[in-house]
Amino acid sequence: MPRPAPVGAPAGDAPTDASLTLLRIPGATQADADTFWLTRVYQGDSMPQLTLRAVVLGAGLGILTCATNLYAGLKTGVVFGVAITAALLASATQGALRRAVPRVAGAPLSLLEMGCAQTVASSAGYATGGALVSVQGAWLLTTGHHLPGWTLLAWTFLLSALGVLFAVPFKRQLVDREQLPFASGTAAAATVRALHAGGDASRPRLRMLGVGGLVSGALTLARDGFGRLPYSWAFPGTLGGVSLERLGFALETGLMPVGGGALLGLRITASMLLGALFLHGFIAPRLMASGVVPVEGDFLAWALWPGAAALTTASLLQFALQGRVWGRALRGLFVREQGARHPVEALQVPGRWLFAGLLVLTPATVALAWVGFDVPVPHALLAVALSFVLCLISCRVTGETDVSPVGALGQVTQLTYGVLLPGNVEANLATAGITVNAASSAADLLTDLKAGHLLGAHPRRVFLAQLLGCVVGSLVVVPLFYLLVPDASVLGSERFPAPAATVTAGVARVLASGLGAVSPELRSAMAWAALGAAVLSLCEQALPERFRRWTPSAVGVGLACLLPASTCLGFFLGGLGWEVARRLRPASEGPGVTLAAGLIAGEGLVGVGIVLARALW
């Protein structure tokens, strides 16, 4: 599933890339832009960056961010970018330490140290857990058992580190030469700069982050910890002879969907509500009345098939319609600078590092795919090579749109191996895992390199901080995955609907057994869902802008097939509240983002804490 595009810092403190303006001057060259950045922006030799305290702080925050994103991914299917939240937490934590233990905390973090802590925390929170909430969840659903701990730990680290290495050759082209926006990276740089400057600019954001976290965490503790609140309050009434409670129409007491809806925006969340009203309010009662789905049966188990068809069709069609984007990415990879090497090249990650890393990680990945997943060696090698190309596409799309299309790219790999290794579900999921983890990690590195570019950071140190974040994230997220998901029955439940895992598992099953194994009613529903998603996706591309914003999102409608109606309502309330607040008070945009992040983080952290407490005591 794609992560939502986060809204950046308020207008006025976003850093500007002056070298981009320079490149627009007639006669200016890339060398001129590089010279400007090296002489006017770069601070890596005059300011501490990759220090022990910055890494330790980032690692500590990374434990929190990866726990939150794992919980959110299992619950909603959406992985949220945590760069801005990590920057805010780094500033608040170091400030609190300086007040409590000034001798231990030392001087305030430098601008680049704060950026380093944000990079480690962001890498741990985003680059390592994507495949767990989708591919590894699908593995559990299809096989009925977990992978051994050492296999999953090694697999998670190897693939995230491989993605970091894959992104290295793209940095000069996408960040330095084309200077793509990478909106999350730009917003993170703006936040770090504003927080480092101090004053009144940072206080509203920190306050709203704390308020959101406290309120959401308190509700989660009362509900899941002490049992004082129900999971939801059902609406009274019936539809087609079936109670609204049975159809899932209720008001949830958790605020994570509300926070997620604020980040996703009104169009996608309204599409989710529209899909929920049609599917749960119109289709479900008729299927239950006709006996296709028992009244007391699991309707979401039926709905995941058309949902998977809609999401897969929408993702692959959008991927195909972006042919010009990934065509530019492939052409740009082979662009070579003319003339002598610029001094800025000496700051980049050396080619020998890349070669040595690939020389170690590629054989290790192929060997683990063979030993742990029974993927033949030639097919594993092809999966690694294919993932390199798909990482390039992921980085390009993320740079231009701030949406990492890892779900679509994983499905490209699934379809490829559905042809190469038909009937082999395990190999299908394992190769998709290579793509999902590597693509998310590569996109996250370039997002952090964009932030570092704007702050004047040393690119090599950003790369090393990202690798350290992969280590931290892998060590934390894998044990948490086992704790949160002890067996397959947890996935698809009210607590963890796990839509990303159900879609991935559904695609793998269809590719393994063919559509003949699916009932005629389901085949018809899948065909109609795929057709509807195709029409909506084409409308998104073809219609003028004034009509496009009123076109329902195919992804939003597809997600409604995989989530309870109550969760879709929560997303919509968050999107609606954000839109109303933004229109009434435009100045609330920055604090509003951190309030939404606090709502997500509060429920995620307290939810994980409750699971840990019960496991230990």
Side-chain angles (χ1 to χ4, degrees):
M1 296 296 164
R3 66 175 176 182
V7 182
D13 46 315
T16 57
D17 197 337
S19 57
L20 177 59
T21 305
L22 183 65
L23 282 177
R24 293 173 180 162
I25 300 174
T29 65
Q30 180 63 45
D32 295 329
D34 287 339
T35 300
F36 182 93
W37 181 83
L38 190 60
T39 57
R40 301 283 297 276
V41 180
Y42 177 62
Q43 304 180 80
D45 293 335
S46 59
M47 187 181 294
Q49 182 179 340
L50 189 66
T51 61
L52 178 61
R53 64 175 186 165
V55 171
V56 170
L57 176 60
L61 297 177
I63 295 173
L64 303 180
T65 55
C66 76
T68 299
N69 248 352
L70 178 62
Y71 190 96
L74 291 170
K75 185 174 180 65
T76 67
V78 180
V79 179
F80 299 95
V82 295
I84 297 173
T85 304
L88 289 164
L89 289 174
S91 175
T93 303
Q94 213 262 344
L97 288 173
R98 291 190 68 240
R99 289 190 294 271
V101 282
R103 292 185 179 180
V104 176
L109 290 173
S110 73
L111 181 71
L112 299 188
E113 282 182 304
M114 192 177 294
C116 175
Q118 173 265 313
T119 297
V120 175
S122 174
S123 172
Y126 183 74
T128 56
L132 291 178
V133 301
S134 59
V135 177
Q136 297 308 323
W139 177 280
L140 181 59
L141 288 172
T142 54
T143 66
H145 62 81
H146 275 297
L147 288 165
W150 72 268
T151 302
L152 190 53
L153 179 61
W155 189 245
T156 302
F157 170 72
L158 286 174
L159 297 184
S160 57
L162 198 63
V164 171
L165 289 175
F166 280 168
V168 168
F170 313 149
K171 188 264 183 184
R172 284 287 283 156
Q173 175 64 28
L174 301 183
V175 175
D176 294 6
R177 298 188 186 108
E178 296 186 48
Q179 296 176 8
L180 296 182
F182 286 98
S184 290
T186 301
T191 303
V192 168
R193 185 169 291 177
L195 291 170
H196 187 261
D200 296 333
S202 61
R203 291 196 186 100
R205 298 176 219 178
L206 291 171
R207 189 181 305 118
M208 297 307 287
L209 182 70
V211 168
L214 285 173
V215 173
S216 182
L219 286 175
T220 304
L221 184 63
R223 183 192 66 203
D224 297 345
F226 300 121
R228 298 299 179 87
L229 283 177
Y231 190 85
S232 60
W233 287 299
F235 295 147
T238 61
L239 276 175
V242 183
S243 68
L244 291 179
E245 180 179 12
R246 178 68 193 87
L247 294 173
F249 287 98
L251 184 66
E252 293 187 3
T253 53
L255 294 180
M256 179 177 283
V258 176
L263 295 181
L264 286 173
L266 182 59
R267 178 172 172 265
I268 291 181
T269 56
S271 301
M272 293 175 69
L273 181 63
L274 179 65
L277 291 173
F278 177 73
L279 185 76
H280 298 277
F282 180 77
I283 299 295
R286 281 155 178 78
L287 291 178
M288 292 177 180
S290 63
V292 174
V293 177
V295 175
E296 298 303 323
D298 185 0
F299 175 69
L300 285 177
W302 183 93
L304 76 87
W305 292 96
L311 287 171
T312 302
T313 301
S315 297
L316 294 178
L317 186 57
Q318 290 170 1
F319 174 80
L321 292 173
Q322 289 173 331
R324 286 181 295 178
V325 174
W326 51 266
R328 289 197 300 271
L330 290 172
R331 288 193 301 271
L333 181 61
F334 298 102
V335 171
R336 293 290 180 265
E337 293 185 30
Q338 303 297 321
R341 284 170 56 88
H342 194 279
V344 78
E345 293 285 353
L347 303 176
Q348 309 306 315
V349 177
R352 64 182 182 275
W353 290 16
L354 176 62
F355 179 76
L358 292 177
L359 197 62
V360 173
L361 293 179
T362 301
T365 301
V366 171
L368 189 57
W370 179 45
V371 173
F373 300 89
D374 293 326
V375 181
V377 170
H379 291 82
L381 278 170
L382 177 61
V384 172
L386 177 62
S387 295
F388 176 79
V389 178
L390 297 180
C391 280
L392 172 57
I393 297 169
S394 176
C395 291
R396 159 70 67 173
V397 174
T398 302
E400 293 191 8
T401 68
D402 206 44
V403 175
S404 303
V406 293
L409 298 179
Q411 287 153 11
V412 169
T413 306
Q414 283 190 277
L415 292 175
T416 301
Y417 281 85
V419 175
L420 295 178
L421 294 172
N424 192 333
V425 176
E426 289 80 4
N428 189 281
L429 293 174
T431 51
I434 295 175
T435 296
V436 170
N437 242 18
S440 60
S441 186
D444 192 61
L445 173 63
L446 286 196
T447 298
D448 287 333
L449 283 169
K450 177 67 176 184
H453 185 75
L454 295 172
L455 296 173
H458 197 303
R460 291 188 194 180
R461 295 167 192 160
V462 176
F463 166 80
L464 292 173
Q466 182 85 8
L467 276 180
L468 290 171
C470 290
V471 175
V472 173
S474 300
L475 291 173
V476 173
V477 78
V478 170
L480 280 179
F481 180 68
Y482 286 123
L483 279 172
L484 293 177
V485 189
D487 54 61
S489 65
V490 176
L491 299 178
S493 65
E494 184 180 49
R495 184 176 187 183
F496 290 138
T502 54
V503 168
T504 305
V507 172
R509 286 167 178 156
V510 169
L511 292 173
S513 57
L515 284 175
V518 181
S519 68
E521 295 86 357
L522 267 181
R523 288 203 299 270
S524 176
M526 291 171 67
W528 281 109
L531 177 62
V535 170
L536 291 177
S537 297
L538 291 173
C539 288
E540 289 182 54
Q541 297 292 324
L543 291 177
E545 178 62 33
R546 64 180 181 275
F547 298 118
R548 191 183 308 166
R549 62 177 181 165
W550 298 104
T551 304
S553 163
V555 172
V557 175
L559 278 173
C561 300
L562 308 172
L563 293 169
S566 57
T567 303
C568 295
L569 176 61
F571 271 108
F572 172 72
L573 292 176
L576 179 63
W578 164 258
E579 186 67 20
V580 170
R582 188 178 66 85
R583 290 181 179 273
L584 293 179
R585 294 190 60 188
S588 66
E589 188 167 333
V593 171
T594 55
L595 174 63
L599 295 177
I600 296 168
E603 180 169 346
L605 292 176
V606 173
V608 171
I610 291 171
V611 173
L612 287 173
R614 287 174 176 168
L616 294 174
W617 289 287

